[in-house]
Amino acid sequence: MDLGAITKYSALHAKPNGLILQYGTAGFRTKAEHLDHVMFRMGLLAVLRSKQTKSTIGVMVTASHNPEEDNGVKLVDPLGEMLAPSWEEHATYLANAEEQDMQRVLIDISEKEAVNLQQDAFVVIGRDTRPSSEKLSQSVIDGVTVLGGQFHDYGLLTTPQLHYMVYCRNTGGRYGKATIEGYYQKLSKAFVELTKQASCSGDEYRSLKVDCANGIGALKLREMEHYFSQGLSVQLFNDGSKGKLNHLCGADFVKSHQKPPQGMEIKSNERCCSFDGDADRIVYYYHDADGHFHLIDGDKIATLISSFLKELLVEIGESLNIGVVQTAYANGSSTRYLEEVMKVPVYCTKTGVKHLHHKAREFDIGVYFEANGHGTALFSTAVEMKIKQSAEQLEDKKRKAAKMLENIIDLFNQAAGDAISDMLVIEAILALKGLTVQQWDALYTDLPNRQLKVQVADRRVISTTNAERRAVTPPGLQEAINDLVKKYKLSRAFVRPSGTEDVVRVYAEADSQESADHLAHEVSLAVF
Ligand code: 16G
Ligand code: ZN
């Protein structure tokens, strides 16, 4: 390590005095103007992580669904997953080091993690469309090169595309080609094969309106659409030509306000979906004939996907263990439907993709979705091989089902939840099953629910257990929630400190909207 060079270059990316940031659920995230030093330092850290794992590491510059003025950064580990927890701590430690301590902190981390500094390092970088992203990703590159790392800058990418690139590069090309072209081809080929098998190819199945949150999703869908246009035509809205990123549009807006995005004209019963700003979340929706808005969130997406996978397995005659992973935010009706009607086991983890992803890995087939629309399905290597064999060896109907499953496996981005990939999976399943958006929505009825934010002096006084469904501290809070919940039918409520904002979040559901609203309000009063 050339320590002199680090000191010199670090001074060019100086940390604002007194600024303390934390590597949270989705990396660092704050106003873009405060992030230059963090980017440089994450370039340094990515090199150390790459040396330690002898693998390519990813760095993504994005703040997802946050306002355009914000930005953020997260590191992507060798198999395309989120950074390991011990390295999150190093990230926080390094980001907050004072200038004169930089060398010591880097040596400290290297020693703790037994990093061989002679080892080569390779880092890949991607960024979203925010005005600040290009310059910030240049600061990441500065950090990488100061430590002698090699890099490839992919430029504009969706977050899941960067995860895909990292995964491909570290699995010797087995998963796919680590190019944007490779990504488009892999997904489109699987999608077109699948939709060829769909008997109903009426227009209503072939077209979809997509709200791109004025973000990167628009650019990438434009590049990709001609690859899959045989199976689906997409009409893009909020494509960044006029509006501001994530402003009154996008998956987060639609999910949290339970209303359609601005800038999109919706006729009754038309199938629509929204991506978020970095295209790793998706939600669907439509207006019924009476003009009522219906949201189809991550829970219903997980239900559609896991039901379809289960049906295919039955058809093929394979008994594989399939599990669905949700968080406490999953609507109670979805959990009940999956367990009681579909007979699929459901598991609950803490909020944050890394927790769900980790749990989903335990199954032959693990489907995970957060209610907010982030999710995917994971298939064990043994399952992939088994299904490939079945697709070659079995006969007739069984063979057809195995082929379908083989293509579905290819269509999922197994490195991370991916709005483009999920959209194509959903569109293929709807076409194959001949389901309209209303029929999909009718699988079960969501329990009315309400989410609130509460500002408190210190959100850390609230700690939780049982996948965030029970409050442990402050004393008495859980008992108070229990008493409130008893007053309403089919009700449930929980509180948790946010991992991305300085607030406490309250969730409540009950048999009517009025009850859910009351319960949420009463619980938020109990938090004070
Ligand atoms: C981050 C997480 C998302 C989670 C959200 C919760 C990733 C990539 N993103 O955006 O999964 O739902 O945080 O935010 O892990 P909260 O803690 O503020 O409620
Ligand atoms: Zn996102």
Side-chain angles (χ1 to χ4, degrees):
M1 222 167 4
D2 180 352
L3 296 174
I6 291 165
T7 311
K8 183 172 140 209
Y9 283 96
S10 185
L12 300 176
H13 299 278
K15 180 172 92 73
N17 263 344
L19 182 64
I20 295 188
L21 296 168
Q22 205 187 349
Y23 198 99
T25 329
F28 292 103
R29 224 176 257 188
T30 186
K31 294 271 161 280
E33 71 247 34
H34 295 145
L35 279 166
D36 181 56
H37 68 295
V38 176
M39 297 292 165
F40 173 76
R41 294 168 184 210
M42 288 308 104
L44 300 173
L45 193 73
V47 170
L48 296 186
R49 182 67 172 149
S50 172
K51 285 176 188 285
Q52 188 213 30
T53 56
K54 303 186 175 62
S55 305
T56 296
I57 295 296
V59 181
M60 182 72 200
V61 177
T62 179
S64 184
H65 56 278
N66 283 38
E68 190 165 283
E69 306 73 51
D70 288 7
N71 217 322
V73 58
K74 61 183 171 187
L75 267 61
V76 178
D77 252 359
L79 294 178
E81 342 82 296
M82 304 291 169
L83 186 64
S86 61
W87 282 77
E88 289 188 359
E89 283 174 31
H90 302 328
T92 301
Y93 182 35
L94 183 60
N96 296 319
E98 295 306 329
E99 222 50 59
Q100 67 273 15
D101 299 330
M102 282 293 286
Q103 296 185 5
R104 189 176 53 75
V105 170
L106 285 168
I107 292 171
D108 224 21
I109 296 171
S110 307
E111 282 175 358
K112 258 194 211 131
E113 293 291 345
V115 176
N116 172 5
L117 294 170
Q118 305 311 316
Q119 179 69 38
D120 290 341
F122 200 87
V123 177
V124 292
I125 299 137
R127 63 169 198 268
D128 71 12
T129 52
R130 284 162 206 273
S132 59
S133 291
E134 187 169 359
K135 186 158 178 292
L136 290 174
S137 71
Q138 195 52 51
S139 304
V140 174
I141 293 172
D142 284 355
V144 173
T145 45
V146 166
L147 267 190
Q150 305 269 73
F151 70 92
H152 177 78
D153 179 11
Y154 280 101
L156 293 163
L157 280 188
T158 71
T159 296
Q161 284 173 341
L162 182 77
H163 286 261
Y164 164 92
M165 300 304 174
V166 173
Y167 193 25
C168 290
R169 281 176 179 264
N170 290 318
T171 45
R174 252 183 304 118
Y175 187 66
K177 270 179 81 178
T179 59
I180 192 73
E181 185 74 19
Y183 171 93
Y184 292 150
Q185 277 175 354
K186 179 177 176 186
L187 268 60
S188 308
K189 181 167 170 283
F191 179 72
V192 170
E193 294 265 317
L194 279 165
T195 43
K196 265 195 226 151
Q197 294 180 359
S199 44
C200 34
S201 51
D203 270 358
E204 103 188 62
Y205 293 107
R206 287 186 32 93
S207 71
L208 172 69
K209 289 188 166 173
V210 187
D211 153 33
C212 298
N214 291 315
I216 182 76
L219 245 85
K220 296 298 158 182
L221 261 188
R222 281 257 148 75
E223 283 174 17
M224 188 180 184
E225 69 186 315
H226 71 273
Y227 288 88
F228 61 70
S229 55
Q230 244 177 298
L232 176 71
S233 89
V234 284
Q235 213 182 329
L236 309 190
F237 296 84
N238 298 322
D239 64 355
S241 54
K242 294 193 290 282
K244 235 178 147 180
L245 179 67
N246 296 325
H247 184 60
L248 304 175
C249 61
D252 194 65
F253 172 86
V254 172
K255 168 75 184 163
S256 45
H257 293 82
Q258 313 241 346
K259 63 179 186 200
Q262 284 198 359
M264 189 180 209
E265 204 184 296
I266 309 177
K267 298 202 195 87
S268 69
N269 294 329
E270 256 177 356
R271 208 164 64 253
C272 307
C273 68
S274 284
F275 292 5
D276 74 339
D278 62 340
D280 62 355
R281 290 191 195 176
I282 184 169
V283 294
Y284 270 70
Y285 45 91
Y286 67 98
H287 272 142
D288 65 21
D290 299 328
H292 291 128
F293 175 75
H294 293 252
L295 175 69
I296 303 182
D297 65 4
D299 301 336
K300 232 166 223 170
I301 295 174
T303 307
L304 179 77
I305 291 171
S306 50
S307 310
F308 184 71
L309 292 175
K310 190 161 177 197
E311 284 162 22
L312 283 183
L313 291 177
V314 171
E315 185 95 8
I316 302 167
E318 280 290 353
S319 67
L320 297 171
N321 88 46
I322 172 167
V324 176
V325 186
Q326 304 183 317
T327 69
Y329 288 107
N331 195 277
S333 294
S334 73
T335 316
R336 204 165 307 124
Y337 179 85
L338 283 163
E339 286 178 334
E340 291 170 15
V341 182
M342 290 311 304
K343 311 276 182 225
V344 179
V346 180
Y347 301 83
C348 185
T349 69
K350 289 204 284 192
T351 302
V353 172
K354 64 183 174 201
H355 303 294
L356 292 106
H357 192 91
H358 185 75
K359 182 72 191 171
R361 275 254 186 95
E362 290 176 14
F363 309 95
D364 293 332
I365 301 179
V367 179
Y368 73 83
F369 266 88
E370 290 192 306
N372 63 26
H374 188 124
T376 186
L378 306 180
F379 303 83
S380 73
T381 322
V383 166
E384 285 199 32
M385 286 184 6
K386 212 175 209 169
I387 299 303
K388 271 209 169 72
Q389 273 172 8
S390 306
E392 280 160 21
Q393 292 163 2
L394 295 175
E395 311 258 301
D396 307 332
K397 267 179 89 175
K398 286 189 172 189
R399 181 194 180 100
K400 195 175 159 200
K403 266 258 143 284
M404 249 183 224
L405 186 51
E406 200 184 354
N407 281 317
I408 287 272
I409 294 175
D410 274 344
L411 190 49
F412 273 111
N413 183 344
Q414 293 191 54
D418 182 334
I420 294 179
S421 146
D422 289 337
M423 175 191 87
L424 294 175
V425 168
I426 292 162
E427 291 300 311
I429 295 177
L430 293 179
L432 285 163
K433 292 181 64 120
L435 281 180
T436 62
V437 68
Q438 300 87 327
Q439 287 166 326
W440 173 21
D441 187 33
L443 285 180
Y444 60 81
T445 307
D446 275 324
L447 281 170
N449 57 86
R450 177 65 57 206
Q451 288 194 47
L452 295 176
K453 292 189 209 187
V454 188
Q455 224 92 38
V456 293
D458 181 5
R459 72 191 198 275
R460 287 167 304 182
V461 299
I462 294 187
S463 63
T464 63
T465 182
N466 192 13
E468 303 179 323
R469 290 171 292 187
R470 272 190 67 81
V472 180
T473 59
L477 176 58
Q478 186 58 47
E479 289 70 24
I481 295 176
N482 292 348
D483 289 342
L484 293 170
V485 164
K486 274 190 211 131
K487 291 168 44 185
Y488 301 93
K489 282 200 205 114
L490 297 177
S491 59
R492 189 168 71 87
F494 64 89
V495 298
R496 54 176 283 278
S498 158
T500 62
E501 273 182 81
D502 194 14
V503 295
V504 170
R505 297 202 195 281
V506 174
Y507 176 90
E509 66 184 30
D511 64 333
S512 71
Q513 191 60 54
E514 204 189 355
S515 300
D517 290 352
H518 274 151
L519 179 56
H521 180 67
E522 288 176 318
V523 170
S524 69
L525 295 178
V527 169
F528 279 108

